[in-house]
Amino acid sequence: MMIIKRKALRTLAAIALSTAALALASCGFKDEQVALKLAHSLDQQHSVHRAMVFMDERLRELSGDTMRIDIYSGGQLGSERELIELLQIGSLAMTKVSASPMEGFVPEMKVFNLPYVFRDSEHFWNVLQSPIGKNLLLACERARLRGLGYLDAGSRSFYMNDIAVQSPKDLNGQKIRVQNSQTAIKMVNTLGGAATPVSWGELYTALQQGVVNGAENNPPSFYLSKHYEVSKYYTLDEHTYVPDLLLISTEVWSKLTPQQQEWLNEAVDEAVAYQRKLWQESTEESLAAVKAAGVEVIYPDKQPFIDAVKPLHDSYKGTDVGDLLDQIKAVN
């Protein structure tokens, strides 16, 4: 059934993207628009989606209405992994994915799944805007993907159904949902929990039925997913900063003229700045909303968590990821 669904999604996306291919082939004509199809899995209320709408508006303005972005939200064309695969074969132009599962395509992306790599939000963004962050985006080209920019996904923290996590010992034996990332699994297991990969779409039910005892994510995702209806304890330990990546198919990118690439890059840069502002607002609103709904928000001492994951950091010494860790720590 899954194979049939995946084939159907790819066929749908390929048909939808055929107009983009035709537009690209005839981009020399002023009466033709280059239509870039962008798909993602988020709700339309999400700051990332709103920034994508803004990006489309700016691209139309910058290009004199010769380019546009058609946005398919809410997983209409498939899961994040399926969308990545559609980009790789050139059947979809753009998508947004979390950096977390990207480690399966770009091993260096593991660094985002390691806990307490970044001292705070300022350090995180200084790294992303440095040559380190830019090189990680370009490394995606090995997988026939081009990183256009980073979108703010804040910091990830633990939320639990029935217990308040004050320190790592409170995670002992608790089944914690993680993304499909070996590094994220190692992180939770190192902290004493039992890491359990569950797809995002199935997580509400998994929490409700006790398949998992908790999960970890940022405040807007915790709120918009309505997971706060089940999980009544949210511990802001801020163990990881995992950005979202805006990707474009290298096949589609190569068909754009240098001028079109410049317009798209400019629209992306403006949308990234706009999304960061929206994200901050959304984070504050989400925390206020879950507190009003009866969630206990906990602000723990982070040092015990940092100490607990030191062996995980040490295990990467002498590797490419370990070298990257050292470079990141050296950024002011």
Side-chain angles (χ1 to χ4, degrees):
M1 193 71 178
M2 180 58 70
I3 294 173
I4 294 173
K5 181 182 176 184
R6 182 172 290 192
K7 285 182 178 178
L9 287 169
R10 287 182 177 174
T11 301
L12 176 61
I15 292 170
L17 262 292
S18 64
T19 55
L22 289 172
L24 287 169
S26 60
C27 61
F29 297 96
K30 291 183 179 179
D31 58 344
E32 294 285 355
Q33 265 192 337
V34 174
L36 300 173
K37 305 293 182 183
L38 186 159
H40 65 81
S41 59
L42 298 172
D43 186 277
Q44 291 189 4
Q45 300 174 65
H46 200 285
S47 64
V48 168
H49 177 82
R50 291 162 64 193
M52 288 173 176
V53 172
F54 175 80
M55 180 170 62
D56 169 49
E57 293 170 353
R58 289 297 296 131
L59 183 60
R60 290 171 188 258
E61 292 169 0
L62 291 164
S63 69
D65 212 29
T66 62
M67 297 180 74
R68 75 173 192 266
I69 299 172
D70 295 338
I71 305 168
Y72 297 82
S73 62
Q76 293 177 61
L77 299 185
S79 66
E80 283 199 347
R81 176 133 195 140
E82 289 167 335
L83 296 177
I84 290 172
E85 291 171 355
L86 290 172
L87 259 70
Q88 289 178 310
I89 61 175
S91 292
L92 182 68
M94 300 170 68
T95 191
K96 184 287 309 176
V97 298
S98 169
S100 191
M102 278 298 293
E103 71 174 48
F105 300 89
V106 182
E108 296 94 326
M109 292 283 179
K110 288 179 183 178
V111 74
F112 292 119
N113 289 315
L114 289 173
Y116 302 106
V117 170
F118 304 99
R119 295 185 290 275
D120 51 31
S121 178
E122 183 179 5
H123 179 222
F124 171 69
W125 280 104
N126 284 344
V127 170
L128 294 190
Q129 293 166 350
S130 75
I132 297 171
K134 292 172 183 175
N135 289 338
L136 283 171
L137 287 178
L138 294 177
C140 297
E141 293 193 351
R142 298 180 217 148
R144 301 191 298 282
L145 307 165
R146 182 181 179 89
L148 293 174
Y150 294 100
L151 295 161
D152 200 346
S155 57
R156 299 175 74 92
S157 296
F158 291 109
Y159 51 90
M160 307 295 293
N161 288 357
D162 302 312
I163 65 166
V165 173
Q166 302 282 359
S167 69
K169 67 181 181 181
D170 296 320
L171 292 170
N172 287 342
Q174 297 294 316
K175 292 176 289 184
I176 309 296
R177 179 267 178 179
V178 293
Q179 297 185 80
N180 189 17
S181 153
Q182 288 302 310
T183 312
I185 290 170
K186 286 180 184 178
M187 175 196 70
V188 168
N189 290 344
T190 299
L191 286 168
T196 308
V198 175
S199 71
W200 180 248
E202 297 172 355
L203 182 52
Y204 186 100
T205 302
L207 288 164
Q208 195 174 43
Q209 296 179 351
V211 175
V212 292
N213 307 114
E216 46 90 50
N217 217 316
N218 53 61
S221 294
F222 177 50
Y223 173 59
L224 291 173
S225 64
K226 299 188 184 299
H227 292 172
Y228 66 89
E229 295 176 349
V230 184
S231 301
K232 292 301 182 180
Y233 299 93
Y234 191 29
T235 300
L236 290 179
D237 63 295
E238 299 180 317
H239 47 262
T240 52
Y241 285 84
V242 182
D244 283 338
L245 304 179
L246 188 60
L247 302 174
I248 188 168
S249 164
T250 53
E251 183 175 333
V252 173
W253 175 261
S254 68
K255 291 177 182 176
L256 296 174
T257 67
Q259 178 64 79
Q260 290 168 336
Q261 292 173 353
E262 184 179 330
W263 285 330
L264 180 57
N265 277 329
E266 187 172 345
V268 167
D269 289 344
E270 291 185 27
V272 165
Y274 178 60
Q275 189 267 338
R276 283 183 65 184
K277 177 177 177 292
L278 291 178
W279 182 266
Q280 183 59 40
E281 294 171 355
S282 179
T283 296
E284 293 169 1
E285 291 167 0
S286 297
L287 285 174
V290 299
K291 287 178 181 178
V295 172
E296 181 181 344
V297 177
I298 300 134
Y299 298 84
D301 177 5
K302 295 180 186 178
Q303 195 58 49
F305 292 89
I306 295 170
D307 294 341
V309 300
K310 188 177 184 300
L312 183 56
H313 281 222
D314 291 343
S315 70
Y316 286 95
K317 285 184 177 177
T319 69
D320 290 343
V321 173
D323 292 342
L324 190 56
L325 272 174
D326 291 338
Q327 293 173 38
I328 288 172
K329 289 175 183 177
V331 174
N332 292 329

